Amino acid sequence: MTTTNSSAATASKNPLHIPSPFRADEPDMTPEQKEQQYVHDVYQVIAPHFSATRYKPWPVVEEFLKDMPAGFVGADIGCGNGKYIGVNPKLFVVGSDRSSNLIDICGERGHEAMVCDGLALPYRPEFFDFAISIAVIHHFISPERRVAAIEEMLRVVRVGGRILIFVWALEQTGKRDFDKNVQDVFVPWAMPKKAEPRRDRTRNTAQEGRRRDRVNATSRSGEASLSGSMDQLSIQDGQPSTLSTSNISAPVSMQPALSMSSSSPSSSASAAALAAAEPVSVSASSSLTNADALLTTQESRAENMGQTTAAPVFNRYYHLFHKGELEELVTRTKRAKIVQTGYDRDNWWCIVEKTSHK
Amino acid sequence: MRLITHNMLQCHVKGCNANNFPLELQEVVLEQEEAELNEDFLRNMLGKLEYEALVATCLKLDINDLPATLPADAAYNDEFLQILHRVILETHIKSGKMICPNCQHIYNVRDGIPNMLLAEHEV
């Protein structure tokens, strides 16, 4: 049912928009380490660009929020840039996300939001009238952790309260072309070469003078290098990063954005190059975890696009849900009923109602 | 973060299940910011608020406007709702620390954003 193995060679032939089977570089990694590396670290880095592409509310979510009685209090778990928080101004919605960079964007927009983990919500039990989880629990690495995420939402919602959950569908037929036999996948996120996220432009300007460490990195194959677009990126993170990495050990000491310049091809592997080069400039307590997985220069660029340099590509872990799978997870909690289900925009969704306290 | 949010937060360190609310505020910088009054929201909050904790927290922040006990007619007491609105929705914690009264875990608030992430061993 689930395939998690594939040779690197096979994966490397995928064009930019095609996911590859998920494969952890270190098989012994804990689920937490995998999610840190293949989800949290990625969103932290792609946050500005990700946010710039996330502005239009999905109709099902919008309707769910607009149908809520005035004055209801809701939690948006995994709120990203907060695009749903203000959809219905008659509600009070608190957003939360693992990515402090995405939560910073919520803060700038005046939304109520905090940094926290979906498996350990900091809220009093049964506080909320409703919750939403939009495109979030497909990032948890095991069925147990997906159920735990649903249970944690049920904990903070009152009896009778509803939760709207969206997850990516295995059966989708949009622009992604998924192998219907592979549920656990890497989905690439390509940074545009000219990404100019609003907030980071400001930040980088202020830090321009201090940015002097340039890291030359090349792809695994050594055929192409990272483009200068990484200059736009900033890893700025106050959250604990617990993953010690085998590939990247450079001390993390400087505030400036992670910056990598275009360079002539070299033969070294990407992560090794990063580790061996000048100190990688990543701020504070966050370490750049295993850049080998975090950042793969995708094969499609140079060869397929006829360009000499390429946008950096980040692989995010996804579990693709087959029809009925989300409902099955909800049923396992034994304290919720399914009110409505559907398929929309490449996602399975369902509305869950909490039926009992425990 | 608004004061209402402080009232919904509890410590969630693994095993810290008692006396973990409310988080004690320290070194707090406050800011007032006007917001539209939403009576439906305020009435809904009356059933959710830990009122005693709210009053105690406010007193430590030198906010003395709230009555010590929730008025019996709170839901339709315009004057009270106005005060409640100002306190829980218009009063923002811009920075500070929130400390668990039980396990002493410190959660920081920076730029108005609480960081409630725990280290792996605390989850």
Side-chain angles (χ1 to χ4, degrees), chain A residues 27-294:
Chain A
D28 295 336
M29 286 165 72
T30 65
E32 291 82 1
Q33 288 170 332
K34 289 176 187 169
E35 287 165 10
Q36 181 69 45
Q37 178 166 327
Y38 302 118
V39 181
H40 308 320
D41 287 348
V42 177
Y43 277 104
Q44 214 35 7
V45 174
I46 71 174
H49 178 226
F50 176 82
S51 175
T53 65
R54 295 292 186 281
Y55 45 87
K56 212 172 155 189
W58 290 344
V60 173
V61 187
E62 192 172 16
E63 196 186 323
F64 179 81
L65 293 170
K66 290 196 165 163
D67 283 351
M68 284 291 156
F72 264 29
V73 179
D76 185 347
I77 316 288
C79 66
N81 66 1
K83 74 171 178 173
Y84 291 114
I85 295 178
V87 161
N88 181 349
K90 299 284 185 200
L91 308 175
F92 184 75
V93 177
V94 182
S96 65
D97 203 283
R98 268 297 302 238
S99 166
S100 60
N101 284 347
L102 286 170
I103 288 298
D104 283 349
I105 296 172
C106 295
E108 287 168 15
R109 293 173 173 180
H111 295 319
E112 195 71 1
M114 69 188 71
V115 183
C116 76
D117 191 303
L119 296 183
L121 298 175
Y123 307 124
R124 287 200 270 128
E126 314 225 332
F127 188 89
F128 294 97
D129 299 302
F130 70 93
I132 60 174
S133 164
I134 310 304
V136 178
I137 66 173
H138 51 215
H139 286 310
F140 288 107
I141 211 124
S142 69
E144 293 74 25
R145 291 172 70 80
R146 287 167 217 137
V147 172
I150 296 171
E151 278 177 338
E152 184 63 347
M153 286 192 284
L154 285 168
R155 181 184 71 78
V156 301
V157 167
R158 65 172 167 80
V159 171
R162 294 185 169 189
I163 306 173
L164 174 63
I165 306 172
F166 263 71
V167 291
W168 242 13
L170 180 65
E171 295 87 348
Q172 61 185 277
T173 53
K175 65 175 176 175
R176 313 265 180 190
D177 179 18
F178 289 138
D179 178 342
K180 301 299 182 279
N181 298 310
V182 183
Q183 279 190 277
D184 293 282
V185 295
F186 273 138
V187 176
W189 181 277
M191 295 292 293
K193 294 176 69 180
K194 289 288 179 191
E196 293 196 23
R198 174 174 58 92
R199 52 193 300 279
D200 271 2
R201 200 164 44 204
T202 318
R203 181 173 290 152
N204 283 350
T205 303
Q207 292 161 349
E208 199 68 43
R210 288 193 288 148
R211 189 202 298 155
R212 52 185 177 274
D213 293 306
R214 294 267 166 173
V215 179
N216 298 330
T218 61
S219 71
R220 203 180 299 242
S221 61
E223 288 167 341
S225 60
L226 298 175
S227 82
S229 66
M230 284 297 291
D231 289 357
Q232 303 293 342
L233 297 180
S234 158
I235 298 181
Q236 199 212 27
D237 187 1
Q239 68 192 47
S241 180
T242 51
L243 179 59
S244 68
T245 140
S246 54
N247 290 4
I248 297 292
S249 55
V252 167
S253 56
M254 291 182 54
Q255 182 66 24
L258 168 65
S259 55
M260 301 181 184
S261 69
S262 224
S263 71
S264 56
S266 114
S267 59
S268 53
S270 60
L274 279 169
E278 308 295 311
V280 178
S281 44
V282 182
S283 75
S285 59
S286 170
S287 57
L288 178 61
T289 56
N290 198 343
D292 191 20
L294 187 60

Side-chain angles (χ1 to χ4, degrees), chain A residues 70-73 90 92 98 103 110 112-115 117 120 122-125 127-129 155 238-239 242, chain B residues 1-2 4-5 7-10 12 21 38 40-41 44-45 48 50 89 113-118 120:
Chain A
F72 264 29
V73 179
K90 299 284 185 200
F92 184 75
R98 268 297 302 238
I103 288 298
E112 195 71 1
M114 69 188 71
V115 183
D117 191 303
Y123 307 124
R124 287 200 270 128
F127 188 89
F128 294 97
D129 299 302
R155 181 184 71 78
Q239 68 192 47
T242 51
Chain B
M1 69 179 282
R2 292 156 176 89
I4 180 59
T5 301
N7 199 262
M8 62 179 85
L9 293 179
Q10 63 178 23
H12 53 298
F21 171 90
N38 180 341
D40 294 315
F41 165 74
N44 186 23
M45 286 312 303
K48 296 176 183 293
E50 288 287 344
L89 221 58
I113 304 225
N115 189 337
M116 307 305 286
L117 266 188
L118 301 170
E120 207 172 303

